[in-house]
């Protein structure tokens, strides 16, 4: 940076700058903050935000009961996750050595694990194009993990490391925050052992790798729109499923949240102080969006970890002398590209990190060469997923730009696909008063307004981040963190309303919240008030998550009161119209080589047979065939050409998705070919139906038969029953 910096030792710790004056007089600032705190307290009070000591006592009773019942399962999954992280750390240690970068041992180990976990799915996916057989994957993964363990003394010694700067002893408030953080992580770990009911996981996070394992290799699944996304997380879950089951995948996702918390802690400890580091870790771990994400096998916490580690490497590079910056830029870029490999919506965040790097380089009188290398490394880490889409779909960005680059014919409802991701209409936003108002009020709406299950940031951020408007950053690292937090928030606010899509930027926001509450320009008493309010808010977030976990039956499952099958056969707030009873029958009764056509339902994870299914946004190949068939025999030929031997129907889902063109296409259902095929070439094997009550379902399983059913014994057709009911309902509406 300056001449003194260029002559410094390999590791440079920024000297604390004198505390600057705030942008407002301290009395005015204090009065405004207290008024803001009172407004928030009043609003949250109206919404019932209060702590119940009974919740803590109940969790204390649950913990030993859950560990007694699930202890063996927990130990097994933790061992599986440890094996994967050990393998990743060994791979990453080699990359760190190639990059010739050094950091304190804890940071080096965390960076090595992140680099390795970015490389591992690329290697596994490439190998999976040839073979993704579970027995081969299991042997290869366990063998590689064993090799990593045996070679640990070597790569641990070779891991580039330097001495860590001293850290002051945390005070009582920081210790309290650490205790609450530990409780949140522990609760998330227990919740991750519950059966997977997250919709996205059952449709693609777990369903796609399960399908690869059943088929023995990775291939195109053109009727699952999500298979066009980057699939780093799904590939890792394929390894988890080959080793054990979906619970290992969920525990692995939880561990990404654990390591993100650790990364935020390390960034804060070194650059903001011990108390601020503890607060930042607390703010991230207690964010409801992160809490709920840790329960399932999603990919959002993977994005968070890679973005946090990219920032860690970026800050290291900004603090280094000239000869060491290139390696850190490459490290930060690879991690940013790995974040993009988890989902498309991280692409703008990665680009923003590159811009932050270039901005700070230019601000300190340096060129952009290292920034270019960072961008190239990010592009290199992400490029394999573009090549995957070119190979499978002929469109590197599928399902986006499908009308321009190809693949549009596969998508039945592109508008619904964008709406499901909470996409914001930018034209409406900037051309209407209501749209602009909605954008400006987004922080208030998501924090204080409605709270969809788990999809809210909690009170901590809206309480503390406004303080950054009146304090000035003191160091280079603070400027970079502020830029990343503001950029990450704006990119999210302009693209989506779903708070979980902000998780890649939450590490930066958590560090900025810590910067606000621990900023030395603020009076000590004001900082303590901020701490106290934030701790109360964090405890409420933990309590709310605990109650909502209880509302979906986690307590009963974890203590053995509800068996797995019963849990999956019942509706839960996040798990409507369960299909498990039909999947259970198919797993038990159908031949191993059966191929099941799934209609109405998009979730296929628990089906242990090869399946032909589509999402609610795609054209189902069966309905396409029904439209084109001349008669039932022609449709039978087309169904057989798909390799289909059986059909699983969730009729209730047809009714629920009655307006979805891919799920319940009326013209195809009305066709004579469909009616004839169903009546003559399906043999009923299973039916479970319940119309009234709180657990409605209508599930059927059929065998496809070549010999027609007798004319007097046609197979009943639930789709035609529902169509007739819908038609009668429509005719009863005046004016229709």
């Amino acid at each position: 940076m300056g001449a003194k910096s260029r002559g410094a030792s390999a590791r440079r710790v920024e000297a604390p700058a004198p505390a600057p004056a705030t942008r407002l007089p301290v009395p005015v600032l204090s009065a405004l903050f207290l008024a803001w705190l009172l407004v928030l307290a009043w609003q949250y009070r109206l919404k019932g935000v209060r702590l119940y000591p009974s919740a803590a006592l109940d969790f204390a009773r649950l913990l030993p009961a859950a560990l007694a019942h699930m202890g063996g399962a927990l130990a097994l999954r933790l061992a599986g996750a440890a094996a994967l992280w050990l393998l990743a750390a060994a791979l990453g240690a080699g990359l760190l050595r190639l990059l010739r970068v050094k950091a304190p041992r804890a940071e080096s180990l965390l960076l090595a694990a992140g680099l390795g976990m970015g490389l591992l799915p690329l290697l596994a996916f490439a190998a999976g194009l040839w073979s993704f057989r579970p027995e081969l994957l299991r042997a290869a993964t366990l063998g590689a993990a064993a090799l990593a363990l045996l070679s640990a003394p070597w790569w641990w010694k070779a891991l580039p490391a330097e001495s860590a700067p001293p850290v002051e002893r945390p005070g009582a408030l920081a210790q309290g925050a650490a205790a609450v953080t530990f409780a949140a992580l522990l609760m998330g770990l227990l919740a991750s052992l519950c059966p997977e009911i997250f919709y996205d996981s059952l449709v693609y996070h777990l369903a796609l790798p399960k399908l690869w394992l059943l088929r023995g290799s990775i291939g195109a699944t053109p009727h699952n729109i999500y298979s066009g996304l980057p699939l780093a997380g799904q590939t890792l879950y394929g390894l988890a499923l080959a080793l054990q089951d979906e619970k290992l995948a969920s525990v692995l996702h939880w561990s990404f949240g654990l390591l993100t918390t650790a990364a935020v802690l390390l960034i804060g400890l070194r650059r903001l102080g011990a108390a601020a580091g503890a607060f930042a870790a607390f703010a991230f771990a207690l964010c409801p969006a992160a809490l709920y994400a840790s329960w399932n096998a999603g990919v959002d916490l993977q994005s968070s970890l890679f973005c946090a580690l990219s920032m860690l490497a970026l800050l290291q590079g900004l603090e280094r002398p000239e000869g060491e910056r290139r390696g850190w830029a490459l490290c930060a870029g690879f991690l940013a590209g790995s974040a993009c490999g988890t989902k498309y919506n991280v692409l703008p965040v990665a680009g923003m990190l590159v811009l932050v790097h270039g901005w700070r380089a230019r601000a300190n009188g340096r060129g952009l060469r290292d920034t270019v290398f960072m961008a190239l490394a990010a592009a290199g880490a992400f490029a394999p997923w573009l090549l995957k889409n070119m190979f499978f779909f002929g469109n590197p960005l599928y399902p986006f730009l499908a009308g321009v680059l190809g693949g549009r014919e596969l998508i039945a409802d592109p508008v619904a696909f964008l709406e499901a991701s909470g996409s914001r209409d930018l034209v409406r936003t900037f051309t209407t008063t209501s749209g602009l108002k909605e954008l400006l009020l987004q922080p208030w709406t998501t924090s204080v307004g409605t709270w969809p299950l788990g999809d809210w940031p909690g009170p901590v951020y809206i309480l503390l981040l406004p303080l950054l408007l009146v304090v000035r950053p003191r160091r280079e690292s603070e400027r970079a963190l502020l830029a990343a937090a503001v950029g990450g928030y704006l990119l999210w606010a302009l693209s989506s309303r779903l708070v979980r899509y902000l998780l890649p930027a939450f590490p930066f926001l958590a560090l900025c919240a810590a910067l606000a509450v621990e900023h030395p320009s603020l009076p000590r008493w004001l900082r303590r008030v901020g701490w106290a309010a934030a701790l109360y808010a964090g405890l409420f977030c933990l309590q709310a998550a605990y109650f909502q976990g209880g509302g979906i039956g986690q307590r009963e499952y974890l203590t053995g009161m509800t068996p797995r099958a019963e849990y999956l056969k019942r509706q839960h707030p996040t798990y409507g119209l369960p299909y498990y009873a039909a999947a259970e029958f198919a797993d038990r009764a159908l031949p191993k080589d059966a191929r099941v056509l799934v209609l109405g339902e998009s979730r296929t994870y628990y089906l242990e047979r090869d399946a032909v299914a589509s999402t609610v946004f795609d054209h189902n190949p069966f309905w396409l065939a029904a439209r084109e068939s001349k008669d039932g025999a022609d449709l039978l030929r087309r169904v057989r050409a798909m390799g289909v031997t059986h059909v699983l129907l969730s009729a209730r889902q047809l009714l629920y998705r009655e307006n979805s063109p891919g799920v319940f296409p009326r013209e195809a259902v009305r066709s004579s070919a469909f009616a004839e095929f169903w009546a003559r070439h399906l043999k009923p094997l299973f039916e479970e139906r319940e119309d009234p009550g709180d657990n409605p379902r209508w599930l059927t399983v059929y065998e496809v038969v070549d010999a027609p059913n007798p004319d007097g014994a046609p197979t009943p057709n639930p789709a035609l029953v529902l169509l007739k009911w819908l038609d009668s309902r429509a005719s009863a509406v005046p004016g229709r």
Side-chain angles (χ1 to χ4, degrees):
M1 302 215 250
K4 183 176 180 181
S5 298
R6 289 191 289 270
S9 61
R11 180 182 58 79
R12 200 198 80 170
V13 179
E14 294 176 288
T22 60
R23 291 187 172 92
L24 292 175
V26 171
V28 175
L29 186 157
S30 301
L32 288 175
F33 179 73
L34 291 177
W36 179 239
L37 176 60
L38 289 174
V39 168
L40 289 176
W42 173 57
Q43 286 293 314
Y44 282 120
R45 184 73 179 178
L46 292 177
K47 290 185 171 293
V49 174
R50 54 182 59 85
L51 294 180
Y52 298 98
S54 59
L57 296 174
D58 193 59
F59 180 64
R61 288 191 293 266
L62 169 64
L63 187 58
L67 291 176
H69 180 66
M70 303 293 297
L74 175 60
L76 183 63
R77 274 63 178 195
L78 286 175
L84 290 171
W85 280 113
L86 180 66
L87 174 56
L91 289 171
L95 289 178
L96 274 184
R97 191 156 186 84
L98 285 174
L99 294 172
R100 298 181 179 179
V101 295
K102 287 185 178 181
R105 181 72 70 177
E107 293 185 20
S108 288
L109 182 59
L110 198 55
L111 287 165
L115 289 168
M117 203 56 91
L119 179 62
L120 184 58
L122 298 177
L123 299 175
F125 192 91
L129 294 171
W130 169 67
S131 176
F132 210 72
R133 298 196 307 273
E135 62 277 6
L136 181 62
L137 279 179
R138 188 180 305 114
T141 304
L142 290 177
L147 184 61
L149 179 61
L150 292 174
S151 62
W154 176 84
W155 60 259
W156 175 259
K157 183 178 180 181
L159 191 69
E162 60 188 16
S163 60
V167 176
E168 69 269 24
R169 180 180 175 83
L173 288 173
Q175 293 178 34
V180 178
T181 302
F182 176 78
L185 292 170
L186 181 58
M187 188 183 76
L189 177 59
L190 289 176
S192 71
L193 295 175
C194 292
E196 183 62 80
I197 58 174
F198 180 42
Y199 185 85
D200 289 5
S201 297
L202 301 178
V203 172
Y204 72 106
H205 292 320
L206 293 174
L208 283 177
K210 184 68 174 181
L211 200 60
W212 302 338
L213 292 167
L214 289 168
R215 295 179 177 177
S217 64
I218 296 176
T221 49
H223 300 289
N224 189 320
I225 196 170
Y226 297 108
S227 65
L229 305 183
L231 298 175
Q234 291 77 9
T235 306
L236 288 174
Y237 293 155
L239 300 182
L241 294 176
L243 287 177
Q244 295 177 13
D245 57 14
E246 73 278 359
K247 291 180 183 177
L248 174 56
S250 295
V251 169
L252 184 61
H253 190 231
W254 168 86
S255 70
F256 276 94
L258 171 68
L259 293 190
T260 306
T261 304
V264 169
L265 173 66
L266 290 177
I267 294 173
L269 283 177
R270 177 169 172 178
R271 292 158 184 87
L272 306 177
F279 186 92
F282 158 83
F284 177 81
L286 271 296
C287 171
L291 268 173
Y292 291 98
S294 70
W295 296 359
N296 56 61
V299 297
D300 298 298
L301 294 179
Q302 297 180 31
S303 308
S304 297
L305 176 61
F306 286 126
C307 287
L309 291 179
S310 181
M311 174 57 72
L312 174 58
L314 186 153
L315 294 176
Q316 285 278 6
L318 292 177
E319 298 164 358
R320 298 289 169 157
E322 185 66 35
E324 299 180 22
R325 295 185 190 129
R326 180 67 47 79
W328 283 111
L330 292 170
C331 182
F334 183 85
L335 290 164
S338 298
C340 299
T342 62
K343 58 197 318 179
Y344 277 133
N345 73 294
V346 190
L347 273 168
V349 180
M352 178 268 299
L353 289 173
V354 173
L355 290 177
V356 169
H357 185 281
W359 170 55
R360 294 321 304 162
R362 294 297 296 165
N364 287 280
R366 300 194 298 269
L368 296 178
R369 181 171 296 181
D370 289 338
T371 303
V372 171
F373 275 96
M374 179 182 174
L376 290 174
F382 179 62
W385 304 114
L386 302 179
L387 294 176
K388 178 265 294 183
N389 275 0
M390 280 297 297
F391 183 67
F392 287 161
F393 299 101
N395 174 358
L397 293 174
Y398 184 85
F400 300 102
L401 300 180
V404 178
L405 300 178
R408 176 64 184 86
E409 69 281 358
L410 299 172
I411 306 172
D413 200 345
V415 173
F417 174 68
L418 293 175
E419 289 175 348
S421 61
S423 296
R424 186 180 294 280
D425 184 345
L426 291 180
V427 174
R428 175 183 171 274
T429 296
F430 290 107
T431 59
T432 66
T433 303
S434 60
L436 188 59
K437 179 181 177 182
E438 182 182 290
L439 176 66
L440 296 175
L441 290 178
Q442 184 84 338
W444 179 269
T445 304
T446 56
S447 300
V448 186
T450 57
W451 306 340
L453 185 64
D455 198 56
W456 68 299
V460 173
Y461 296 94
I462 196 170
L463 168 67
L464 295 175
L465 289 178
L467 283 173
L468 296 177
L469 297 173
V470 293
V471 297
R472 294 185 175 89
R474 301 166 296 157
R475 303 185 178 96
E476 182 70 11
S477 56
E478 293 176 4
R479 295 183 183 92
L481 286 171
L482 279 168
V486 172
Y489 171 78
L490 290 176
L491 289 170
W492 166 77
L494 291 171
S495 61
S496 179
R497 298 178 182 84
L498 297 182
V499 175
R500 67 185 179 93
Y501 286 175
L502 185 57
L503 273 169
F506 265 121
F508 318 142
L509 292 166
L511 285 158
C512 286
L515 172 62
V517 80
E518 276 293 306
H519 203 282
S521 64
L522 301 178
R524 176 181 168 83
W525 69 267
L526 189 64
R527 284 181 271 154
R528 294 302 168 260
V529 169
W531 263 94
L535 284 173
Y536 187 94
L539 285 169
F540 173 76
C541 292
L542 184 61
Q543 174 184 276
Y546 180 66
F547 284 158
Q548 291 181 330
I552 60 176
Q554 289 179 350
R555 180 189 183 91
E556 289 75 13
Y557 176 79
L558 290 172
T559 56
M561 297 170 62
T562 301
R564 177 177 182 269
E566 181 181 337
Y567 185 89
L568 290 170
K569 290 178 183 178
R570 298 291 304 177
Q571 260 195 159
H572 302 287
T574 56
Y575 180 64
L577 301 176
Y579 65 102
Y580 184 78
E584 182 185 47
F585 169 81
D587 297 342
R588 181 180 69 250
L590 302 191
K592 292 287 186 182
D593 60 350
R595 191 175 222 201
V596 182
L597 170 67
V598 181
L599 298 176
E601 182 61 71
S602 298
R603 300 166 293 181
T604 62
Y605 171 67
Y606 290 113
L607 185 61
E608 298 286 337
R609 298 293 183 271
D610 190 3
V612 176
S614 64
T615 74
V616 298
F617 313 114
D618 293 293
H619 289 293
N620 189 296
F622 173 78
W623 295 123
L624 293 176
R627 286 192 186 99
E628 298 169 357
S629 296
K630 297 177 296 183
D631 52 30
D634 187 18
L635 182 52
L636 173 65
R637 285 191 295 271
R638 294 170 187 267
V639 169
R640 287 301 194 193
M642 299 177 202
V644 169
T645 61
H646 295 80
V647 175
L648 186 158
L649 170 67
S650 176
R652 271 281 181 171
Q653 285 284 5
L654 293 180
L655 191 61
Y656 179 66
R657 306 281 185 183
E658 61 175 286
N659 295 318
S660 173
V663 178
F664 199 21
R666 306 296 176 85
E667 73 282 5
V669 176
R670 295 182 195 279
S671 70
S672 59
F674 168 66
E676 181 184 347
F677 166 79
W678 202 279
R680 305 194 68 192
H681 295 289
L682 291 186
K683 175 184 175 182
L685 301 178
F686 169 86
E687 181 174 19
E688 184 171 291
R689 181 175 181 179
E690 180 180 326
D691 292 324
D694 60 356
N695 197 43
R697 61 200 178 279
W698 188 1
L699 301 167
T700 49
V701 178
Y702 308 87
E703 181 184 0
V704 180
V705 293
D706 294 325
N709 296 327
D711 290 337
T715 298
N717 192 325
L720 292 180
V721 172
L722 295 175
L723 183 61
K724 182 178 180 180
W725 181 83
L726 289 171
D727 287 344
S728 65
R729 185 187 67 177
S731 64
V733 177
R736 295 187 63 175

